[in-house]
Amino acid sequence: MTTEIPLGKPRSSTTSLPATPKGAAICRRLARRQLTDWELDSTHTERFHGALLIVTELAANAITHGRVPGRGFDFHLSLTTFVRRGATLRIEISDPRCDRLPALPVKLRPNSQSGRGLTLIDALSDRWGTIPRFPDSKTVWSELDLTLPGAP
């Protein structure tokens, strides 16, 4: 296995937002704007919409399960281009609850109104996971691989 070499510094964006429904809505708007600026809406339409859904679910989880009164969440996007394999879009949401790490549900209830967010993230992501940031926070991340024109 060879190590892939990035082409230059990753493009990135980081924002702190309130852990409220309005903060989650702002997060999605910021993601849409940044991904459009990076031209993913026209070059990777399916991945663009998948990324927006991932951002929506991660932000919703942060305000629902990771909320601590008086503290918000951090939203980070990065786009790294590599020599051979194209590019990787990384989505990160950090919240102040390291005691509540996400896990895929073992069984989904057919009539349940919630509990499908991580299943969607798992289906749409090429990779995802959690980084505990002790003593008091965690980051949930998702990566999407993007092919570039002319890439093998």
Side-chain angles (χ1 to χ4, degrees):
M1 180 175 173
T2 58
T3 302
E4 186 65 81
I5 301 168
L7 285 172
K9 187 177 177 181
R11 293 180 269 180
S12 66
S13 171
T14 303
T15 307
S16 294
L17 297 160
T20 63
K22 185 174 183 174
I26 292 168
C27 185
R28 183 178 167 89
R29 281 196 301 270
L30 291 171
R32 177 180 290 279
R33 184 178 304 138
Q34 187 61 68
L35 296 175
T36 299
D37 287 350
W38 290 340
E39 299 179 355
L40 296 185
D41 59 334
S42 59
T43 58
H44 296 88
T45 306
E46 188 173 314
R47 289 298 206 169
F48 172 80
H49 293 290
L52 290 178
L53 183 54
I54 290 167
V55 167
T56 300
E57 293 299 330
L58 289 178
N61 285 350
I63 68 169
T64 303
H65 306 293
R67 187 170 184 270
V68 170
R71 295 187 62 192
F73 68 94
D74 293 329
F75 167 55
H76 179 80
L77 275 179
S78 64
L79 182 64
T80 305
T81 305
F82 294 93
V83 172
R84 283 184 224 113
R85 67 177 157 101
T88 297
L89 175 67
R90 185 172 173 107
I91 302 162
E92 297 180 0
I93 300 277
S94 301
D95 67 55
R97 290 291 300 268
C98 68
D99 61 326
R100 301 189 72 180
L101 299 179
L104 279 172
V106 176
K107 184 177 179 182
L108 294 173
R109 295 187 185 109
N111 296 327
S112 176
Q113 297 296 309
S114 64
R116 290 175 174 74
L118 285 178
T119 303
L120 288 170
I121 291 165
D122 187 59
L124 294 169
S125 301
D126 291 302
R127 293 164 297 285
W128 74 274
T130 305
I131 304 168
R133 301 212 183 268
F134 295 102
D136 67 350
S137 65
K138 71 175 174 295
T139 298
V140 183
W141 58 270
S142 168
E143 289 184 342
L144 298 139
D145 294 330
L146 309 170
T147 57
L148 297 176

Coordinates of all heavy atoms in Angstrom, one line a residue, residues 13-19 23-31 51-67 72-78 90-98 100-102 118 121 128-133 137-143:
S13 N -12.8 25.1 5.7 CA -13.7 26.1 6.3 C -14.1 25.6 7.7 O -14.5 24.4 7.8 CB -14.9 26.3 5.4 OG -15.9 27.1 6.0
T14 N -14.0 26.5 8.7 CA -14.5 26.1 10.0 C -15.3 27.2 10.6 O -15.0 28.4 10.5 CB -13.2 25.9 11.0 OG1 -12.4 24.8 10.4 CG2 -13.6 25.4 12.3
T15 N -16.4 26.8 11.3 CA -17.3 27.8 11.9 C -17.9 27.2 13.2 O -18.2 26.0 13.3 CB -18.5 28.0 10.9 OG1 -18.1 28.4 9.6 CG2 -19.5 29.1 11.5
S16 N -18.0 28.1 14.2 CA -18.7 27.7 15.4 C -20.1 28.2 15.4 O -20.4 29.3 14.9 CB -18.0 28.3 16.6 OG -16.7 27.8 16.8
L17 N -21.1 27.3 15.8 CA -22.5 27.6 15.7 C -23.2 27.3 17.0 O -22.7 26.4 17.7 CB -23.1 26.8 14.5 CG -22.5 27.1 13.1 CD1 -22.8 26.0 12.2 CD2 -23.2 28.4 12.6
P18 N -24.3 28.0 17.2 CA -25.1 27.6 18.4 C -25.8 26.3 18.3 O -26.2 25.9 17.2 CB -26.2 28.8 18.5 CG -26.3 29.2 17.1 CD -24.9 29.1 16.4
A19 N -25.9 25.5 19.4 CA -26.5 24.2 19.3 C -28.0 24.3 19.4 O -28.7 24.0 20.4 CB -26.0 23.4 20.5
G23 N -29.0 27.1 14.4 CA -27.6 26.8 14.2 C -27.4 25.6 13.2 O -26.5 25.7 12.3
A24 N -28.3 24.6 13.3 CA -28.2 23.5 12.3 C -28.6 24.0 10.9 O -27.9 23.5 9.9 CB -29.1 22.4 12.8
A25 N -29.6 24.8 10.8 CA -30.0 25.4 9.5 C -28.9 26.2 8.9 O -28.6 26.1 7.7 CB -31.3 26.2 9.6
I26 N -28.2 27.0 9.7 CA -27.1 27.9 9.2 C -26.0 26.9 8.7 O -25.4 27.2 7.7 CB -26.6 28.8 10.3 CG1 -27.7 29.9 10.6 CG2 -25.3 29.5 9.9 CD1 -27.5 30.7 11.8
C27 N -25.7 25.9 9.5 CA -24.7 24.9 9.1 C -24.9 24.4 7.7 O -24.0 24.3 6.9 CB -24.7 23.8 10.2 SG -23.3 22.6 9.9
R28 N -26.1 24.0 7.4 CA -26.5 23.5 6.1 C -26.3 24.5 5.0 O -25.8 24.2 3.9 CB -27.9 22.9 6.1 CG -28.3 22.3 4.7 CD -29.7 21.7 4.8 NE -30.1 21.4 3.4 CZ -30.0 20.2 2.8 NH1 -29.3 19.3 3.4 NH2 -30.4 20.0 1.6
R29 N -26.7 25.8 5.3 CA -26.5 26.8 4.3 C -25.1 27.1 4.1 O -24.6 27.3 2.9 CB -27.2 28.1 4.8 CG -28.7 28.1 4.5 CD -29.4 29.4 4.6 NE -29.2 30.1 5.9 CZ -30.0 30.0 6.9 NH1 -31.1 29.2 6.8 NH2 -29.8 30.6 8.1
L30 N -24.3 27.1 5.1 CA -22.8 27.3 5.0 C -22.2 26.2 4.1 O -21.3 26.5 3.3 CB -22.1 27.4 6.3 CG -22.4 28.6 7.2 CD1 -21.8 28.5 8.6 CD2 -21.8 29.9 6.5
A31 N -22.6 25.0 4.4 CA -22.1 23.8 3.6 C -22.5 24.0 2.2 O -21.6 23.8 1.3 CB -22.7 22.5 4.2
A51 N -23.5 15.0 0.6 CA -22.7 15.7 1.6 C -23.7 16.6 2.4 O -23.5 16.8 3.6 CB -21.6 16.6 0.9
L52 N -24.6 17.3 1.7 CA -25.6 18.1 2.4 C -26.4 17.3 3.4 O -26.7 17.8 4.5 CB -26.4 18.9 1.4 CG -25.8 20.0 0.6 CD1 -26.7 20.6 -0.4 CD2 -25.1 21.0 1.5
L53 N -26.8 16.1 3.0 CA -27.6 15.3 3.9 C -26.7 14.9 5.1 O -27.2 14.9 6.2 CB -28.1 14.1 3.1 CG -29.0 13.1 3.9 CD1 -30.2 13.9 4.6 CD2 -29.5 12.0 3.0
I54 N -25.5 14.5 4.8 CA -24.6 14.2 5.9 C -24.4 15.3 6.9 O -24.5 15.2 8.1 CB -23.2 13.7 5.4 CG1 -23.4 12.4 4.7 CG2 -22.2 13.6 6.5 CD1 -22.2 11.9 3.9
V55 N -24.2 16.5 6.4 CA -24.1 17.7 7.2 C -25.4 17.9 8.1 O -25.3 18.2 9.3 CB -23.8 19.0 6.4 CG1 -24.0 20.3 7.2 CG2 -22.4 18.9 5.8
T56 N -26.5 17.8 7.4 CA -27.8 17.9 8.1 C -27.9 16.9 9.2 O -28.3 17.3 10.4 CB -29.0 17.7 7.1 OG1 -28.8 18.7 6.1 CG2 -30.3 17.9 7.8
E57 N -27.6 15.7 9.0 CA -27.7 14.6 10.0 C -26.7 14.8 11.2 O -27.1 14.7 12.3 CB -27.6 13.3 9.4 CG -28.7 12.9 8.5 CD -30.1 12.9 9.2 OE1 -30.2 12.6 10.4 OE2 -31.1 13.1 8.5
L58 N -25.5 15.2 10.8 CA -24.5 15.4 11.9 C -24.8 16.6 12.7 O -24.7 16.5 14.0 CB -23.1 15.6 11.3 CG -22.5 14.3 10.7 CD1 -21.1 14.6 10.0 CD2 -22.3 13.2 11.7
A59 N -25.3 17.7 12.1 CA -25.7 18.9 12.9 C -26.9 18.5 13.8 O -26.9 19.0 14.9 CB -26.0 20.0 11.9
A60 N -27.9 17.8 13.2 CA -29.1 17.4 14.0 C -28.6 16.6 15.2 O -29.1 16.8 16.3 CB -30.1 16.7 13.2
N61 N -27.7 15.7 15.0 CA -27.2 14.8 16.1 C -26.5 15.7 17.2 O -26.7 15.5 18.4 CB -26.3 13.7 15.6 CG -27.1 12.6 14.9 OD1 -28.3 12.5 15.0 ND2 -26.4 11.7 14.3
A62 N -25.7 16.7 16.7 CA -25.0 17.5 17.6 C -26.0 18.3 18.5 O -25.7 18.5 19.7 CB -24.1 18.4 16.9
I63 N -27.0 18.8 17.9 CA -28.0 19.6 18.8 C -28.9 18.8 19.6 O -29.5 19.3 20.6 CB -28.7 20.7 17.9 CG1 -29.7 20.1 17.0 CG2 -27.7 21.6 17.2 CD1 -30.6 21.0 16.3
T64 N -29.1 17.5 19.1 CA -30.1 16.7 19.9 C -29.3 15.8 20.9 O -29.8 15.8 22.1 CB -30.7 15.7 18.9 OG1 -31.4 16.5 17.9 CG2 -31.7 14.8 19.6
H65 N -28.2 15.2 20.6 CA -27.6 14.3 21.5 C -26.3 14.9 22.1 O -25.8 14.3 23.1 CB -27.2 13.0 20.7 CG -28.4 12.4 20.1 ND1 -29.5 11.8 20.8 CD2 -28.7 12.2 18.8 CE1 -30.3 11.3 20.0 NE2 -29.9 11.6 18.7
G66 N -25.7 15.9 21.5 CA -24.4 16.4 22.0 C -24.5 17.8 22.6 O -23.5 18.4 22.9
R67 N -25.7 18.2 22.9 CA -25.9 19.6 23.4 C -25.6 19.7 24.9 O -26.0 18.8 25.6 CB -27.4 20.0 23.1 CG -27.6 21.4 23.5 CD -29.0 21.9 23.0 NE -29.2 23.3 23.2 CZ -29.8 23.7 24.3 NH1 -30.2 22.9 25.3 NH2 -29.9 25.0 24.5
G72 N -21.9 25.6 22.0 CA -22.4 25.3 20.6 C -21.6 24.1 20.1 O -21.1 23.2 20.8
F73 N -21.6 24.0 18.7 CA -20.8 23.0 18.0 C -20.0 23.6 16.9 O -20.3 24.7 16.5 CB -21.8 21.9 17.5 CG -22.7 22.3 16.4 CD1 -22.3 22.2 15.0 CD2 -23.9 23.0 16.6 CE1 -23.1 22.5 14.0 CE2 -24.7 23.3 15.6 CZ -24.4 23.1 14.3
D74 N -19.0 22.9 16.5 CA -18.1 23.4 15.5 C -18.3 22.6 14.2 O -18.5 21.3 14.3 CB -16.6 23.2 15.9 CG -16.2 24.2 17.0 OD1 -16.8 25.3 17.1 OD2 -15.3 23.8 17.8
F75 N -18.3 23.2 13.1 CA -18.5 22.6 11.8 C -17.3 22.9 10.9 O -16.8 24.0 10.8 CB -19.7 23.3 11.1 CG -19.9 22.9 9.7 CD1 -19.9 21.6 9.2 CD2 -20.0 24.0 8.7 CE1 -20.1 21.3 7.9 CE2 -20.2 23.7 7.4 CZ -20.2 22.4 7.0
H76 N -16.7 21.8 10.4 CA -15.5 21.9 9.6 C -15.7 21.1 8.3 O -16.1 20.0 8.3 CB -14.3 21.4 10.4 CG -13.0 21.4 9.6 ND1 -12.3 22.6 9.5 CD2 -12.3 20.5 8.9 CE1 -11.2 22.3 8.8 NE2 -11.2 21.1 8.4
L77 N -15.3 21.8 7.2 CA -15.3 21.1 5.9 C -13.9 21.2 5.3 O -13.2 22.3 5.5 CB -16.2 21.8 4.9 CG -17.6 21.5 4.8 CD1 -18.3 22.4 3.8 CD2 -17.9 20.1 4.5
S78 N -13.4 20.2 4.7 CA -12.1 20.3 4.0 C -12.1 19.5 2.7 O -12.8 18.5 2.6 CB -10.9 19.9 4.9 OG -11.0 18.5 5.2
R90 N -14.0 16.1 3.5 CA -14.2 15.6 4.9 C -15.1 16.6 5.6 O -14.9 17.8 5.5 CB -12.8 15.6 5.6 CG -12.9 15.0 7.0 CD -11.5 14.8 7.6 NE -11.6 14.5 9.0 CZ -11.3 13.3 9.4 NH1 -11.0 12.3 8.6 NH2 -11.4 13.0 10.7
I91 N -16.1 16.0 6.2 CA -17.1 16.8 7.0 C -16.9 16.4 8.5 O -16.8 15.3 8.8 CB -18.5 16.4 6.6 CG1 -18.7 16.6 5.1 CG2 -19.5 17.1 7.4 CD1 -19.9 15.9 4.5
E92 N -16.8 17.5 9.3 CA -16.6 17.2 10.7 C -17.6 18.1 11.5 O -17.7 19.3 11.2 CB -15.2 17.5 11.2 CG -14.1 16.7 10.6 CD -12.7 17.1 11.1 OE1 -12.6 18.0 12.0 OE2 -11.7 16.5 10.7
I93 N -18.2 17.5 12.5 CA -19.0 18.2 13.5 C -18.5 17.9 14.9 O -18.4 16.7 15.2 CB -20.5 17.9 13.4 CG1 -21.1 18.2 12.0 CG2 -21.3 18.6 14.5 CD1 -21.5 19.6 11.8
S94 N -18.1 18.9 15.7 CA -17.6 18.6 17.0 C -18.6 19.2 18.0 O -19.1 20.3 17.9 CB -16.2 19.3 17.2 OG -15.3 18.8 16.3
D95 N -18.9 18.4 19.0 CA -19.9 18.9 20.1 C -19.3 18.6 21.4 O -18.3 17.8 21.6 CB -21.3 18.2 19.9 CG -21.3 16.7 20.1 OD1 -20.9 16.3 21.2 OD2 -21.8 16.0 19.3
P96 N -19.9 19.2 22.5 CA -19.3 19.1 23.8 C -19.7 17.9 24.7 O -19.7 18.0 25.9 CB -19.7 20.4 24.5 CG -21.0 20.7 23.8 CD -20.9 20.2 22.4
R97 N -20.1 16.8 24.0 CA -20.5 15.6 24.8 C -19.6 14.4 24.5 O -20.0 13.6 23.6 CB -22.0 15.3 24.5 CG -23.0 16.2 25.0 CD -23.1 16.2 26.6 NE -23.5 15.0 27.2 CZ -24.7 14.6 27.4 NH1 -25.7 15.4 27.1 NH2 -24.9 13.4 28.0
C98 N -18.5 14.2 25.1 CA -17.7 13.1 24.8 C -18.2 11.8 25.5 O -17.8 10.7 25.2 CB -16.2 13.3 25.3 SG -16.0 13.4 27.1
R100 N -21.2 10.7 25.1 CA -22.2 10.1 24.2 C -21.7 9.9 22.8 O -21.8 10.7 21.9 CB -23.4 11.0 24.2 CG -24.0 11.2 25.5 CD -25.3 11.8 25.5 NE -26.3 10.9 24.9 CZ -27.6 11.2 24.8 NH1 -28.0 12.4 25.1 NH2 -28.4 10.3 24.3
L101 N -21.0 8.8 22.6 CA -20.4 8.5 21.3 C -21.5 7.8 20.4 O -22.2 6.9 20.9 CB -19.2 7.6 21.4 CG -18.0 8.2 22.2 CD1 -16.9 7.1 22.3 CD2 -17.5 9.5 21.6
P102 N -21.6 8.2 19.1 CA -22.6 7.6 18.2 C -22.3 6.1 17.9 O -21.1 5.7 17.8 CB -22.5 8.5 17.0 CG -21.2 9.1 17.0 CD -20.8 9.2 18.4
L118 N -27.5 8.0 11.6 CA -26.2 7.4 11.4 C -26.3 6.3 10.3 O -25.3 6.1 9.6 CB -25.8 6.7 12.7 CG -25.3 7.7 13.7 CD1 -24.9 7.0 15.0 CD2 -24.1 8.5 13.2
I121 N -25.8 8.3 7.2 CA -24.4 8.7 7.1 C -23.5 7.5 6.7 O -22.6 7.7 5.8 CB -23.9 9.3 8.5 CG1 -24.6 10.6 8.7 CG2 -22.4 9.4 8.5 CD1 -24.5 11.1 10.1
W128 N -16.5 6.9 7.9 CA -16.9 7.8 8.9 C -16.5 7.3 10.3 O -16.2 6.1 10.4 CB -18.4 8.1 8.9 CG -19.3 7.0 9.4 CD1 -19.8 5.9 8.6 CD2 -19.8 6.8 10.7 NE1 -20.5 5.1 9.4 CE2 -20.6 5.6 10.7 CE3 -19.7 7.5 11.9 CZ2 -21.2 5.1 11.8 CZ3 -20.4 7.1 13.0 CH2 -21.1 5.9 13.0
G129 N -16.5 8.1 11.3 CA -16.1 7.7 12.6 C -16.2 8.8 13.6 O -16.7 9.9 13.3
T130 N -15.6 8.5 14.8 CA -15.7 9.4 15.9 C -14.3 9.6 16.5 O -13.6 8.6 16.6 CB -16.7 8.9 17.0 OG1 -17.9 8.7 16.4 CG2 -16.8 9.9 18.1
I131 N -14.0 10.8 16.8 CA -12.7 11.0 17.5 C -13.1 11.6 18.9 O -13.6 12.8 19.0 CB -11.8 12.0 16.8 CG1 -11.5 11.5 15.4 CG2 -10.5 12.3 17.6 CD1 -10.9 12.6 14.5
P132 N -12.9 10.9 20.0 CA -13.1 11.4 21.3 C -12.1 12.5 21.6 O -10.9 12.4 21.3 CB -13.0 10.3 22.3 CG -12.9 9.1 21.4 CD -12.5 9.5 20.1
R133 N -12.5 13.6 22.1 CA -11.6 14.7 22.5 C -11.8 15.0 23.9 O -12.5 15.9 24.3 CB -11.9 15.9 21.6 CG -11.8 15.6 20.1 CD -11.3 16.8 19.3 NE -11.3 16.6 17.9 CZ -10.2 16.1 17.3 NH1 -9.1 15.9 17.9 NH2 -10.2 16.0 16.0
S137 N -15.3 16.7 24.8 CA -15.9 16.9 23.5 C -15.6 15.7 22.6 O -14.8 14.8 22.9 CB -15.5 18.2 22.8 OG -14.1 18.2 22.6
K138 N -16.2 15.7 21.4 CA -15.9 14.7 20.4 C -16.1 15.3 19.0 O -16.8 16.3 18.9 CB -16.9 13.5 20.6 CG -18.3 13.7 20.2 CD -19.1 12.5 20.3 CE -20.6 12.8 20.1 NZ -21.2 13.6 21.1
T139 N -15.6 14.6 18.0 CA -15.8 15.0 16.7 C -16.3 13.8 15.9 O -15.7 12.7 16.0 CB -14.4 15.5 16.0 OG1 -14.0 16.6 16.7 CG2 -14.6 15.8 14.5
V140 N -17.4 14.0 15.2 CA -17.9 12.9 14.3 C -17.6 13.4 12.9 O -17.8 14.5 12.5 CB -19.4 12.7 14.5 CG1 -19.9 11.6 13.6 CG2 -19.8 12.4 15.9
W141 N -16.9 12.5 12.1 CA -16.4 12.9 10.8 C -17.0 11.9 9.7 O -17.3 10.8 10.0 CB -14.9 13.0 10.8 CG -14.3 11.7 11.1 CD1 -13.9 11.3 12.4 CD2 -13.9 10.6 10.2 NE1 -13.3 10.0 12.3 CE2 -13.3 9.6 11.0 CE3 -14.1 10.4 8.9 CZ2 -12.9 8.4 10.5 CZ3 -13.6 9.2 8.3 CH2 -13.1 8.2 9.2
S142 N -17.0 12.4 8.5 CA -17.4 11.6 7.4 C -16.5 12.0 6.2 O -16.2 13.2 6.0 CB -18.9 11.9 7.0 OG -19.2 11.4 5.8
E143 N -16.1 11.1 5.4 CA -15.4 11.4 4.2 C -16.0 10.8 2.9 O -16.6 9.7 3.0 CB -13.9 10.8 4.3 CG -13.1 11.5 5.3 CD -11.7 11.0 5.4 OE1 -11.4 9.9 4.9 OE2 -10.8 11.7 5.9

